[in-house]
Amino acid sequence: MTMWVFGYGSLLWNPGFEVEETQIGVLQGYARSFCMRSIHHRGTPEHPGLVLALDEQKGASCEGVALRVKAGTEAETLAYLRERELISSAYLEKNLTVHLYTGDKIEAVTYVIDPDHAQYGHLDLEEQAQVIAHAVGDRGPNTEYLHNTAAHLVELGIEDADLNWLSKRVEGLCS
């Protein structure tokens, strides 16, 4: 059985599993948002960082990349993704329909924010920039996460005005 994973943040530049094919696509009903406080990968419990999550919102959509998992590695890929993405249970694992730019629709394993989780919350863009500029977790600085994601979206031709603004603002705060 073919397994797809929808990437919208760090999976764009660091999937961590073997990918046979990538396709740009759109997930309806969700927005990419720095709405998850990171207490492991990009921050600590004392000084949380921010990471992207898919926030369910009526009328929203998120452009990202559908990653087709190498055949025969589905079970190990899913185990890896669960260990990586479900570290604090702030994400929910869902199989959601992604509309590929080719016109096809696929089902993809997708990690979305649990709006009832303690790590969920919204900050305005300036507050996000202040947090991201200073947070560091066990996978490195929050700035690296932001800049890598923003740069890869640009390379893919995916416009995300908030991430572009944040990347420029955080660069200014750190210089």
Side-chain angles (χ1 to χ4, degrees), residues 96-119:
L96 298 173
T97 302
V98 176
H99 301 262
L100 302 179
Y101 281 13
T102 61
D104 296 326
K105 292 182 198 176
I106 53 106
E107 291 295 308
V109 175
T110 308
Y111 293 94
V112 305
I113 192 73
D114 176 354
D116 296 323
H117 197 278
Q119 287 173 250

Side-chain angles (χ1 to χ4, degrees), residues 71-93:
T73 66
E74 295 85 357
E76 69 188 64
T77 297
L78 194 55
Y80 164 77
L81 287 170
R82 287 176 173 163
E83 182 178 327
R84 171 181 167 166
E85 303 296 333
L86 303 179
I87 188 169
S88 67
S89 304
Y91 285 128
L92 302 172
E93 181 182 280

Side-chain angles (χ1 to χ4, degrees), residues 6 15 17-18 38 52-54 62 69 73 81 94 110 112 117-118 141 168 175:
F6 186 68
F17 57 89
E18 292 188 71
S38 178
L52 292 165
L54 288 172
C62 177
V69 175
T73 66
L81 287 170
K94 295 188 175 189
T110 308
V112 305
H117 197 278
K168 286 185 178 101
S175 59

Side-chain angles (χ1 to χ4, degrees), residues 13 18 22 47 57 90 97 173:
W13 48 272
E18 292 188 71
T22 60
H47 301 286
Q57 296 176 11
T97 302
L173 289 170

